[in-house]
Amino acid sequence: METTEVIRQRISANLYDTTRPLSEGEIRDLVDLATHAPSSYNIQHWRFVAVVRPEDKERLKAVAYGQPKVADAAVTFIVLGDLQGHTRLDEILRRSEDAGILGSQMREAWVQQTAGRYADERNARDEAIRSGAMAAMVLMLAAQDRGLATGPMIGFDPEGVKREFGISDRYVPVMLLTIGYAREGNWPRKPRLTVDEVLAFHDGRSLP
């Protein structure tokens, strides 16, 4: 499917075909594509918990205000952001150094820069959520390209999710993301604001 078609056809689904599961291989393939999203310093803050067993979906549904799509989708991802992702940066960047992409001086400089920047809890949280959201968007587009429907969700209890699934305070729940085969009855794509309503050029004109 062409990229523009994938973008224009994607909807946020609420209704899923409960008879069509996804294999572990299909789920892993989607996450592999999601890992190609950008992140600050290539820290790759995103983490994914794939909830697929019916009993686990019901536990997740209970902390997502009882929304049926959590249990009906083939998989519901708990998308997390790593608040301490920068602590692995030296290890991560050594892979780029070994590949000849960057040198040791740049690696050391980046490690030092991030240690200072992300010592600020607000910066760390903002980056974890920002990177997790970008990875989730790539995951949604990858799913759409494979004929799947997706539904990003902020309607859940973050602390309840962490409690039910043993997620440590190192991670912040960014969103839940349902993925599966759509069944009839989903809303079509809702109208978007026009370009003129969201775009301003830096030429003296003000934002709409």
Side-chain angles (χ1 to χ4, degrees):
M1 193 182 297
E2 293 290 335
T3 302
T4 52
E5 188 178 358
V6 168
I7 293 170
R8 291 183 181 279
Q9 288 188 3
R10 198 206 68 79
I11 63 165
S12 293
N14 290 305
L15 304 176
Y16 290 93
D17 184 345
T18 59
T19 68
R20 300 183 69 183
L22 292 174
S23 69
E24 180 176 329
E26 290 172 311
I27 292 170
R28 293 176 68 89
D29 179 57
L30 289 171
V31 172
D32 175 64
L33 291 168
T35 64
H36 290 272
S39 64
S40 175
Y41 293 93
N42 199 36
I43 292 172
Q44 304 167 68
H45 306 72
W46 46 73
R47 299 293 184 272
F48 305 92
V49 178
V51 182
V52 294
R53 298 190 306 180
E55 60 269 30
D56 293 332
K57 289 180 183 178
E58 288 299 326
R59 288 196 297 129
L60 186 56
K61 177 181 171 182
V63 289
Y65 311 121
Q67 296 180 78
K69 59 186 172 182
V70 172
D72 292 346
V75 57
T76 297
F77 286 101
I78 304 170
V79 181
L80 303 170
D82 186 357
L83 296 169
Q84 300 173 30
H86 66 282
T87 62
R88 292 191 61 193
L89 185 57
D90 186 70
E91 169 198 343
I92 291 168
L93 292 182
R94 284 183 185 275
R95 302 180 192 187
S96 294
E97 186 178 345
D98 292 343
I101 298 171
L102 52 80
S104 61
Q105 287 187 328
M106 181 171 289
R107 170 178 55 78
E108 292 167 2
W110 284 12
V111 170
Q112 185 175 11
Q113 289 168 19
T114 56
R117 178 175 178 79
Y118 297 125
D120 183 310
E121 292 183 2
R122 184 174 61 179
N123 285 341
R125 181 180 175 84
D126 286 352
E127 198 59 63
I129 293 174
R130 183 162 41 237
S131 294
M134 285 194 287
M137 188 71 248
V138 174
L139 183 54
M140 284 185 270
L141 295 177
Q144 181 71 30
D145 186 55
R146 283 154 175 72
L148 299 167
T150 60
M153 299 172 58
I154 60 168
F156 63 95
D157 173 10
E159 292 304 315
V161 169
K162 289 167 63 177
R163 181 183 64 250
E164 284 296 321
F165 292 87
I167 297 168
S168 78
D169 288 338
R170 173 174 179 143
Y171 302 102
V172 56
V174 175
M175 69 180 74
L176 301 183
L177 178 57
T178 56
I179 298 182
Y181 290 95
R183 64 180 172 88
E184 291 185 2
N186 282 294
W187 285 331
R189 188 170 183 81
K190 302 178 189 71
R192 280 355 193 215
L193 296 174
T194 67
V195 171
D196 287 338
E197 291 177 287
V198 301
L199 173 66
F201 287 94
H202 190 62
D203 60 0
R205 288 178 287 178
S206 60
L207 282 169

